[in-house]
Amino acid sequence: MRISGWMPWRRAGAKGVEGKGAGPAERKAAAGFVTLQLEAEARWSARSYAALSREGYMRNPVAHRAVRMIAEAAASVPWLAYRGEREVPDEPVLAVLARPNGGQPGTEFLEALYGHLMLSGNAYVDVARLADAPRALHLLRPDRIRVVEGRDGWPEAYEYRVGNAARRYGAGDGGLLHLRLFHPLDDHMGFAPLEAASMALDLSNAAAGWNKALIDNSARPSGALVYQPKDGGNLSPQQFERLKAELEDGYSGPARAGRPMLLEGGLDWKAMGLSPREMDFVEARNGAARDIALAFGVPPMLIGIPGDATYANYQEANRAFWRLTVVPLVTRTASAFAAFFSAGTGEGRLRLVPDLDQVTGLSAERGELWSRVEAASFLTEAEKRAAVGYAVAESE
């Protein structure tokens, strides 16, 4: 509940006000008016996909940068295909992922997919097949999908609706791939990292709005213009409205900051509220930014948030970002695609894994592994190849 406005303040003993029989000291109380603002409870933004995308990704620079960092980094990791223990460089699934459809290259498709996971916790891929083989992949917006449960509580179908048009995908028929993040309270839908950071997101956006409003109002906190006439009279409605208009037109906005105020006829300005230094909104915004980055698994140092000393240097923070956030996300996504495309095929189980040797952010870590394996004289060449993730040659 928020109450904000100008309220008349009538002197004690005036007509229609309690204290009709007040003493002489009370009758001398001057008439005037004050402003009143009350905030009963915090207000949080909606938790829908559209609200989180608009208030988070589209309006908050920290959330936007965190999502972009994860999506771009994860999409840049190439995949390797295996059938059993044998690497298959010409696997058709890899060709489809490299060019999923006529409108998107593979990296752009994967960036959007990872973005859906970060903002919604869910990602839906429409799979077009020809002769039971995947030929094209299209992403569907998560907020347009509805899960249709069967009598047993398991998904029976997925309904995709755009306006009045609707399309139905049978669960398990190979036409729709559903990727989701863990949700502790929902059996069918995923939980978005941005939703976990929603309170910090609201705090960050509110602090930005407060700073903007502060600049628009001459960089001063709100106050009260108190009317204390010597003769005990009140302002007429016309005088009251004219005073309000002069305050809004002449003393609001950054162009009028610092303009001196001319007061007359018993007017007095009383500042109300704390100063920006006392409220310390800068530190509050930095704290909210750290919470947002924490929810996504992005070290605050990589986003440029001051005051964070979790990691000794930028290189260590970057390695932690790749190892703890990007690689697990890519691995689980590759496994989901492999399990989906392996269904109904008799060519052996498909396995898709990220090619970590091509990841620049892990080059130092991979170099250390190679050095240790190379120094292990008790291993054969075949065992060394297997230890670093390479397939063993058939001759060996």
Side-chain angles (χ1 to χ4, degrees):
M1 175 181 179
R2 185 182 183 90
I3 305 174
S4 179
W6 296 73
M7 300 179 62
W9 188 314
R10 303 190 65 181
R11 62 187 177 86
K15 184 178 181 180
V17 181
E18 290 186 10
K20 183 176 181 181
E26 293 178 342
R27 284 198 297 267
K28 291 182 180 179
F33 48 86
V34 297
T35 59
L36 175 63
Q37 288 190 339
L38 299 177
E39 194 73 39
E41 60 183 18
R43 292 172 296 175
W44 307 107
S45 60
R47 300 297 190 262
S48 65
Y49 172 79
L52 287 173
S53 299
R54 183 168 49 250
E55 299 298 324
Y57 183 77
M58 300 176 68
R59 291 187 58 185
N60 189 278
V62 178
H64 181 273
R65 183 55 185 154
V67 172
R68 293 280 302 185
M69 285 184 64
I70 295 173
E72 291 175 354
S76 69
V77 179
W79 292 1
L80 299 175
Y82 291 86
R83 290 285 182 179
E85 297 299 325
R86 180 175 60 88
E87 183 179 354
V88 186
D90 56 349
E91 171 63 42
V93 173
L94 294 180
V96 175
L97 288 170
R99 187 66 178 180
N101 56 68
Q104 287 180 310
T107 53
E108 183 179 332
F109 173 84
L110 289 175
E111 280 184 24
L113 184 145
Y114 293 124
H116 285 171
L117 286 175
M118 294 297 103
L119 299 177
S120 170
N122 301 275
Y124 300 91
V125 182
D126 180 2
V127 182
R129 294 179 180 268
L130 180 62
D132 202 32
R135 288 294 181 264
L137 307 175
H138 297 272
L139 283 172
L140 306 180
R141 263 179 45 181
D143 58 326
R144 294 175 174 173
I145 293 286
R146 183 177 69 90
V147 178
V148 181
E149 294 184 1
R151 293 183 177 180
D152 57 359
W154 291 99
E156 183 179 79
Y158 294 88
E159 185 179 85
Y160 180 71
R161 180 174 295 276
V162 181
N164 295 326
R167 180 178 178 182
R168 195 179 182 94
Y169 298 86
D173 64 359
L176 184 70
L177 169 60
H178 178 198
L179 299 97
R180 64 188 183 118
L181 302 179
F182 170 68
H183 196 310
L185 300 178
D186 197 307
D187 296 330
H188 311 307
M189 307 300 288
F191 185 76
L194 186 59
E195 188 171 353
S198 58
M199 289 188 176
L201 182 67
D202 286 346
L203 179 60
S204 179
N205 289 342
W210 188 91
N211 289 333
K212 178 61 168 63
L214 189 66
I215 294 175
D216 289 343
N217 289 279
S218 304
R220 298 175 185 272
S222 61
L225 194 61
V226 182
Y227 181 49
Q228 297 178 335
K230 296 180 180 180
D231 56 0
N234 290 321
L235 288 176
S236 65
Q238 293 78 10
Q239 291 174 320
F240 181 73
E241 294 299 329
R242 180 176 64 84
L243 180 59
K244 286 178 57 179
E246 289 181 357
L247 284 174
E248 294 174 357
D249 297 338
Y251 299 95
S252 297
R256 304 174 183 86
R259 175 179 291 183
M261 181 181 292
L262 180 61
L263 302 177
E264 60 180 344
L267 291 174
D268 184 24
W269 175 261
K270 300 293 185 183
M272 298 175 60
L274 300 176
S275 68
R277 180 179 180 84
E278 292 169 323
M279 295 298 291
D280 202 4
F281 273 88
V282 174
E283 182 56 35
R285 289 199 68 190
N286 289 338
R290 281 189 285 271
D291 288 343
I292 295 172
L294 176 64
F296 283 105
V298 178
M301 181 183 294
L302 300 184
I303 304 182
I305 301 173
D308 184 81
T310 304
Y311 301 97
N313 51 53
Y314 187 90
Q315 184 178 5
E316 183 181 342
N318 187 59
R319 185 185 304 183
F321 169 66
W322 278 94
R323 178 55 64 186
L324 301 178
T325 301
V326 177
V327 172
L329 178 62
V330 175
T331 301
R332 66 175 292 144
T333 303
S335 297
F337 271 94
F340 182 82
F341 288 124
S342 293
T345 62
E347 304 177 5
R349 187 175 68 88
L350 174 64
R351 188 161 56 94
L352 298 174
V353 297
D355 186 3
L356 300 183
D357 287 339
Q358 305 299 321
V359 176
T360 305
L362 297 177
S363 58
E365 184 177 308
R366 298 293 292 178
E368 294 174 1
L369 174 62
W370 283 38
S371 298
R372 292 197 304 269
V373 172
E374 180 63 25
S377 58
F378 56 89
L379 295 177
T380 64
E381 289 298 321
E383 290 171 336
K384 289 180 180 181
R385 290 177 62 89
V388 297
Y390 280 88
V392 179
E394 294 183 0
S395 59
E396 301 182 58

